[in-house]
Amino acid sequence: MSRKTRIALLGAGRVGAAMALDLAADPGLEVVVADRDERALAPLAARGLAVRKADLGGPGLDEILAACDLAVGAVPGYLGFATARRVIEAGRGLVDISFFPEDAFALDELARERGVTALVDCGVAPGLSNLLLGAVAAQMERVERFTCYVGGLPEHPQPPWEYKAPFSPVDVLEEYTRPARYVRGGRIVTEPALAGLEWREFPGIGSLEAFLTDGLRSLLTTIPQIPEMRELTLRYPGHVAKVQLLRDSGFLSSEALEVSGTRVRPVDLALRLLLPHWEFAPGEPDLTVFEVIVEGVEKGGRVRRVFFFLDRFDAATGTLSMARTTGYTGTAIVRLVARGLFHRPGIHPPEHLATAPGCVDFVLGELAARGIRLAERRESLPPAATHSSSR
């Protein structure tokens, strides 16, 4: 009998916990979950999973990595890059979903030197969105436009925020403060967070507002020939104006202020005050809206290909939809790495998987098996306008 692949899952938050339970059900994997928060680990231990209390920013991580074959990064974004570096330095493979602000390709040389396959941004968006674009780009003669809309939302929004945070609230605030990069006219453009507000209708949901976020990430360099690319986050109507008021009033600033003799970062206070309003109650349902639109030339004609899903809370297991869609994309990639379907030293975002035989179908099949099914439609587009000039 072949030895099981030993998985160290780093982070037991909502998404990390969903990933841990999914991976632990695989007979070919042996999983240990590490986190510094005993309260996060306790429910997993009660389900029979192996857990380790450890400060993942400290020396305890070294011992955990020494006992695994493959690490899965599910830590908050501010810890993600440093954790990824330590995993690679230890010579361990990595599948990571953390939304860290640093450029993952800064670790590419180190990963190649260590012979490590490290897959980053392996969530739903970035993640599944990258995988789909990589697959479609390989089929089209030319991609002209890529747009991704994505949002994790409470099924029953309540005032005043009309929002709950289905993943790390620290990373949610990053979406409201980190400048958004996108491609317009073949050039990378940077806009302030929350810019580019538009409205979009979705079946089964209705009208949502969408704003630019920094979700293209690796796509800015791995598929640079696409002249128009955007990623937008979805919220219920009215939410963006409230967050803009907070931001513009300084409540989301990371610059410390002195208050009654104590240095305080406004964003830390805001997070503390917002968390009770943005925390999902046990059993409270959420949903995930996901739409990827790719336009270009395929077989000589211009086409639009649209990929869509609307996923909902799994009441049977108590798993939030955003944890499912993000986490199960990640666990599908863990499985394909563990089974040897992708093994290339270096840093690899999900669009690289599209160049390896069988990887796209494997991930989509794993998601479908868990009830996350992409609907696709194709539309013919008129030929591109041509302009002539006379003198």
Side-chain angles (χ1 to χ4, degrees), residues 325-378:
T325 57
T326 300
Y328 296 164
T329 304
T331 57
I333 295 174
V334 169
R335 287 187 171 92
L336 72 83
V337 172
R339 297 178 189 183
L341 296 179
F342 188 88
H343 180 71
R344 298 178 192 169
I347 295 293
H348 298 284
E351 58 267 29
H352 284 184
L353 293 175
T355 66
C359 285
V360 174
D361 289 342
F362 182 91
V363 173
L364 297 182
E366 289 287 297
L367 290 173
R370 288 154 181 78
I372 304 165
R373 296 180 176 86
L374 278 166
E376 180 185 358
R377 73 176 190 271
R378 292 171 178 257

Coordinates of all heavy atoms in Angstrom, one line a residue, residues 325-378:
T325 N -16.9 27.5 -2.0 CA -16.4 27.8 -3.3 C -14.9 28.2 -3.3 O -14.2 27.8 -4.2 CB -17.2 29.0 -3.9 OG1 -17.1 30.1 -3.0 CG2 -18.6 28.6 -4.1
T326 N -14.5 28.9 -2.2 CA -13.0 29.2 -2.1 C -12.3 27.9 -1.7 O -11.3 27.6 -2.3 CB -12.8 30.3 -1.1 OG1 -13.5 31.5 -1.5 CG2 -11.3 30.6 -0.9
G327 N -12.7 27.3 -0.6 CA -12.0 26.2 -0.1 C -11.9 25.0 -1.0 O -10.9 24.3 -1.1
Y328 N -13.0 24.6 -1.7 CA -13.1 23.4 -2.5 C -12.3 23.6 -3.8 O -11.8 22.6 -4.4 CB -14.5 23.0 -2.8 CG -15.2 22.6 -1.5 CD1 -16.6 22.4 -1.5 CD2 -14.6 22.3 -0.3 CE1 -17.3 22.1 -0.4 CE2 -15.3 21.9 0.8 CZ -16.6 21.8 0.8 OH -17.3 21.5 1.9
T329 N -12.2 24.9 -4.3 CA -11.2 25.1 -5.4 C -9.8 24.8 -4.9 O -9.1 24.1 -5.6 CB -11.3 26.6 -5.9 OG1 -12.6 26.9 -6.2 CG2 -10.4 26.8 -7.1
G330 N -9.5 25.2 -3.7 CA -8.2 24.9 -3.1 C -7.9 23.5 -2.9 O -6.9 22.9 -3.2
T331 N -8.9 22.8 -2.4 CA -8.7 21.3 -2.1 C -8.6 20.5 -3.4 O -7.9 19.5 -3.5 CB -9.8 20.8 -1.2 OG1 -11.1 21.0 -1.8 CG2 -9.8 21.4 0.2
A332 N -9.3 21.0 -4.4 CA -9.2 20.3 -5.7 C -7.7 20.4 -6.2 O -7.2 19.4 -6.8 CB -10.1 20.9 -6.8
I333 N -7.1 21.6 -6.1 CA -5.8 21.8 -6.5 C -4.8 21.0 -5.6 O -3.8 20.5 -6.1 CB -5.4 23.3 -6.5 CG1 -6.3 24.0 -7.6 CG2 -4.0 23.5 -6.8 CD1 -6.2 25.5 -7.7
V334 N -5.1 20.9 -4.3 CA -4.3 20.1 -3.4 C -4.3 18.6 -4.0 O -3.2 18.0 -4.0 CB -4.8 20.1 -2.0 CG1 -4.1 19.0 -1.1 CG2 -4.6 21.5 -1.4
R335 N -5.4 18.1 -4.3 CA -5.5 16.7 -4.8 C -4.8 16.5 -6.1 O -4.1 15.5 -6.2 CB -7.0 16.3 -4.9 CG -7.7 16.1 -3.6 CD -9.1 15.6 -3.8 NE -9.7 15.2 -2.5 CZ -10.5 16.0 -1.8 NH1 -10.7 17.2 -2.2 NH2 -11.0 15.6 -0.6
L336 N -4.9 17.4 -7.0 CA -4.2 17.2 -8.3 C -2.7 17.3 -8.1 O -1.9 16.5 -8.8 CB -4.7 18.1 -9.3 CG -4.4 19.6 -9.4 CD1 -3.0 19.9 -10.0 CD2 -5.4 20.4 -10.1
V337 N -2.2 18.1 -7.1 CA -0.8 18.1 -6.8 C -0.4 16.8 -6.2 O 0.6 16.2 -6.5 CB -0.4 19.3 -6.0 CG1 1.0 19.2 -5.5 CG2 -0.6 20.6 -6.8
A338 N -1.2 16.4 -5.2 CA -0.9 15.1 -4.4 C -0.9 13.9 -5.4 O -0.1 13.0 -5.1 CB -1.9 14.9 -3.3
R339 N -1.6 14.0 -6.4 CA -1.7 12.8 -7.4 C -0.7 13.0 -8.5 O -0.7 12.2 -9.4 CB -3.1 12.7 -7.9 CG -4.1 12.4 -6.8 CD -5.6 12.3 -7.2 NE -6.5 12.2 -6.1 CZ -7.8 12.0 -6.2 NH1 -8.3 11.9 -7.4 NH2 -8.5 12.0 -5.1
G340 N 0.1 14.0 -8.5 CA 1.1 14.2 -9.5 C 0.7 14.7 -10.8 O 1.4 14.6 -11.8
L341 N -0.5 15.3 -10.9 CA -1.0 15.8 -12.1 C -0.3 17.1 -12.5 O -0.3 17.5 -13.7 CB -2.5 16.1 -12.1 CG -3.4 14.8 -11.9 CD1 -4.9 15.2 -11.8 CD2 -3.2 13.8 -13.0
F342 N 0.3 17.8 -11.5 CA 1.0 19.0 -11.8 C 2.2 19.1 -10.9 O 2.1 19.1 -9.7 CB 0.1 20.3 -11.6 CG 0.8 21.6 -12.0 CD1 0.6 22.0 -13.3 CD2 1.5 22.3 -11.1 CE1 1.2 23.2 -13.7 CE2 2.1 23.5 -11.5 CZ 2.0 24.0 -12.8
H343 N 3.4 19.1 -11.5 CA 4.6 19.1 -10.7 C 5.7 19.9 -11.5 O 6.4 19.4 -12.4 CB 5.1 17.7 -10.4 CG 6.4 17.7 -9.6 ND1 6.5 18.1 -8.3 CD2 7.7 17.4 -10.0 CE1 7.7 18.0 -7.9 NE2 8.5 17.6 -8.9
R344 N 5.7 21.2 -11.3 CA 6.7 22.1 -11.9 C 7.3 23.0 -10.8 O 6.6 23.8 -10.2 CB 6.1 22.9 -13.0 CG 5.5 22.2 -14.1 CD 4.9 23.1 -15.1 NE 4.1 22.4 -16.1 CZ 3.2 23.0 -17.0 NH1 3.1 24.4 -16.9 NH2 2.5 22.3 -17.8
P345 N 8.6 22.9 -10.5 CA 9.2 23.8 -9.5 C 8.9 25.3 -9.9 O 8.9 25.7 -11.1 CB 10.7 23.5 -9.6 CG 10.7 22.1 -10.1 CD 9.6 22.0 -11.1
G346 N 8.7 26.1 -8.9 CA 8.4 27.5 -9.1 C 7.1 27.9 -8.5 O 6.4 27.2 -8.0
I347 N 6.8 29.2 -8.7 CA 5.5 29.8 -8.3 C 4.6 29.7 -9.5 O 4.9 30.1 -10.6 CB 5.7 31.3 -7.9 CG1 6.6 31.4 -6.6 CG2 4.4 32.0 -7.6 CD1 6.0 30.8 -5.4
H348 N 3.4 29.2 -9.2 CA 2.4 29.0 -10.3 C 1.0 29.5 -9.8 O 0.4 28.9 -8.9 CB 2.3 27.5 -10.7 CG 3.6 27.0 -11.2 ND1 4.0 27.3 -12.5 CD2 4.6 26.2 -10.6 CE1 5.2 26.7 -12.7 NE2 5.6 26.1 -11.6
P349 N 0.5 30.5 -10.5 CA -1.0 30.8 -10.3 C -1.8 29.8 -11.0 O -1.3 29.1 -11.9 CB -1.1 32.2 -10.8 CG 0.0 32.3 -11.9 CD 1.1 31.4 -11.4
P350 N -3.1 29.8 -10.8 CA -4.0 28.7 -11.4 C -4.0 28.8 -12.9 O -4.3 27.7 -13.5 CB -5.4 29.0 -10.8 CG -5.1 29.7 -9.5 CD -3.9 30.5 -9.7
E351 N -3.8 29.9 -13.5 CA -3.8 29.9 -15.0 C -2.7 29.0 -15.6 O -2.9 28.5 -16.7 CB -3.7 31.3 -15.6 CG -2.5 32.1 -15.2 CD -2.6 32.9 -13.9 OE1 -3.5 32.6 -13.1 OE2 -2.0 34.0 -13.8
H352 N -1.7 28.7 -14.8 CA -0.6 27.8 -15.3 C -1.2 26.4 -15.4 O -0.6 25.6 -16.2 CB 0.6 27.9 -14.4 CG 1.4 29.1 -14.6 ND1 2.6 29.3 -13.9 CD2 1.3 30.2 -15.4 CE1 3.1 30.4 -14.3 NE2 2.4 31.0 -15.2
L353 N -2.2 26.0 -14.6 CA -2.7 24.7 -14.6 C -3.4 24.4 -16.0 O -3.5 23.2 -16.4 CB -3.8 24.5 -13.5 CG -3.3 24.5 -12.1 CD1 -4.4 24.5 -11.1 CD2 -2.3 23.4 -11.8
A354 N -3.8 25.5 -16.7 CA -4.5 25.3 -17.9 C -3.5 24.7 -19.0 O -4.0 24.2 -20.0 CB -5.1 26.6 -18.4
T355 N -2.2 24.8 -18.8 CA -1.3 24.3 -19.7 C -0.9 22.8 -19.5 O -0.1 22.2 -20.2 CB 0.0 25.1 -19.7 OG1 0.7 25.0 -18.5 CG2 -0.3 26.6 -20.0
A356 N -1.4 22.3 -18.4 CA -1.1 20.9 -18.0 C -2.3 20.0 -18.3 O -3.4 20.3 -17.9 CB -0.7 20.8 -16.5
P357 N -2.1 18.9 -19.1 CA -3.3 18.1 -19.5 C -4.1 17.6 -18.3 O -3.6 17.1 -17.3 CB -2.6 16.9 -20.2 CG -1.3 17.4 -20.6 CD -0.8 18.4 -19.6
G358 N -5.4 17.7 -18.4 CA -6.3 17.2 -17.4 C -6.6 18.0 -16.2 O -7.6 17.7 -15.5
C359 N -5.8 19.1 -16.0 CA -5.9 19.8 -14.7 C -7.2 20.6 -14.6 O -7.9 20.6 -13.6 CB -4.7 20.7 -14.5 SG -3.2 19.8 -14.0
V360 N -7.6 21.3 -15.7 CA -8.8 22.1 -15.7 C -10.0 21.2 -15.4 O -10.9 21.5 -14.6 CB -9.0 22.9 -17.0 CG1 -10.3 23.6 -17.0 CG2 -7.8 23.9 -17.1
D361 N -10.1 20.1 -16.2 CA -11.3 19.2 -16.0 C -11.3 18.6 -14.6 O -12.4 18.3 -14.1 CB -11.2 18.1 -17.1 CG -11.5 18.6 -18.5 OD1 -12.1 19.7 -18.6 OD2 -11.2 17.9 -19.5
F362 N -10.1 18.3 -14.1 CA -10.0 17.7 -12.7 C -10.6 18.7 -11.7 O -11.5 18.3 -10.9 CB -8.6 17.4 -12.4 CG -8.4 16.8 -11.0 CD1 -8.5 15.4 -10.9 CD2 -8.3 17.5 -9.9 CE1 -8.3 14.8 -9.6 CE2 -8.2 16.9 -8.6 CZ -8.2 15.6 -8.5
V363 N -10.2 20.0 -11.8 CA -10.7 20.9 -10.8 C -12.2 21.1 -11.0 O -13.0 21.1 -10.0 CB -10.0 22.3 -10.9 CG1 -10.6 23.4 -10.0 CG2 -8.5 22.1 -10.6
L364 N -12.7 21.3 -12.2 CA -14.1 21.5 -12.4 C -14.9 20.3 -12.0 O -16.1 20.4 -11.5 CB -14.4 21.8 -13.9 CG -13.8 23.2 -14.4 CD1 -14.2 23.4 -15.8 CD2 -14.2 24.3 -13.5
G365 N -14.4 19.1 -12.2 CA -15.1 17.9 -11.8 C -15.2 17.8 -10.3 O -16.2 17.3 -9.7
E366 N -14.1 18.2 -9.6 CA -14.1 18.1 -8.1 C -15.2 19.1 -7.6 O -15.9 18.8 -6.6 CB -12.7 18.5 -7.6 CG -11.7 17.4 -7.8 CD -11.9 16.2 -6.9 OE1 -11.8 16.4 -5.6 OE2 -12.1 15.1 -7.4
L367 N -15.2 20.3 -8.2 CA -16.2 21.3 -7.7 C -17.7 20.8 -8.0 O -18.5 20.9 -7.2 CB -16.0 22.6 -8.4 CG -14.8 23.4 -8.0 CD1 -14.5 24.6 -8.9 CD2 -14.8 23.8 -6.6
A368 N -17.9 20.2 -9.2 CA -19.2 19.7 -9.5 C -19.6 18.6 -8.6 O -20.8 18.5 -8.2 CB -19.2 19.2 -11.0
A369 N -18.7 17.7 -8.2 CA -19.0 16.7 -7.2 C -19.4 17.2 -5.9 O -20.1 16.5 -5.1 CB -17.8 15.8 -7.1
R370 N -19.1 18.4 -5.6 CA -19.5 19.1 -4.3 C -20.6 20.1 -4.5 O -20.8 20.9 -3.7 CB -18.2 19.7 -3.7 CG -17.3 18.7 -3.2 CD -15.8 19.2 -3.1 NE -15.0 18.1 -2.6 CZ -14.5 17.1 -3.3 NH1 -14.9 17.0 -4.6 NH2 -13.7 16.2 -2.8
G371 N -21.3 20.0 -5.7 CA -22.5 20.8 -5.9 C -22.2 22.2 -6.4 O -23.1 23.0 -6.5
I372 N -21.0 22.5 -6.8 CA -20.6 23.8 -7.4 C -20.4 23.6 -8.9 O -19.4 23.2 -9.4 CB -19.4 24.3 -6.7 CG1 -19.5 24.4 -5.2 CG2 -19.0 25.7 -7.3 CD1 -18.2 24.6 -4.5
R373 N -21.5 23.9 -9.6 CA -21.5 23.6 -11.1 C -21.6 24.9 -11.9 O -22.5 25.7 -11.7 CB -22.7 22.7 -11.4 CG -22.6 21.3 -10.8 CD -23.8 20.5 -11.1 NE -23.7 19.1 -10.6 CZ -24.1 18.8 -9.4 NH1 -24.6 19.7 -8.6 NH2 -23.9 17.5 -9.0
L374 N -20.6 25.1 -12.7 CA -20.5 26.2 -13.6 C -21.5 26.0 -14.8 O -21.4 25.0 -15.5 CB -19.1 26.4 -14.1 CG -18.1 27.2 -13.2 CD1 -16.7 27.0 -13.8 CD2 -18.4 28.6 -13.1
A375 N -22.3 27.0 -15.0 CA -23.1 27.1 -16.3 C -22.3 27.9 -17.3 O -21.7 29.0 -16.9 CB -24.4 27.7 -16.0
E376 N -22.2 27.5 -18.5 CA -21.5 28.2 -19.6 C -22.5 28.5 -20.7 O -23.3 27.6 -21.1 CB -20.3 27.5 -20.1 CG -19.6 28.3 -21.2 CD -18.4 27.5 -21.8 OE1 -18.2 26.4 -21.4 OE2 -17.8 28.0 -22.8
R377 N -22.4 29.7 -21.2 CA -23.1 30.0 -22.5 C -22.2 30.8 -23.4 O -21.3 31.5 -23.0 CB -24.4 30.9 -22.2 CG -24.1 32.3 -21.8 CD -25.4 33.1 -21.7 NE -25.2 34.5 -21.6 CZ -25.1 35.1 -20.4 NH1 -25.1 34.5 -19.3 NH2 -24.9 36.5 -20.4
R378 N -22.4 30.6 -24.7 CA -21.7 31.2 -25.8 C -22.6 32.1 -26.5 O -23.7 31.8 -26.8 CB -21.1 30.2 -26.7 CG -20.0 29.3 -26.1 CD -19.7 28.2 -27.1 NE -18.6 27.3 -26.6 CZ -17.3 27.3 -27.0 NH1 -17.0 28.2 -27.9 NH2 -16.4 26.5 -26.5

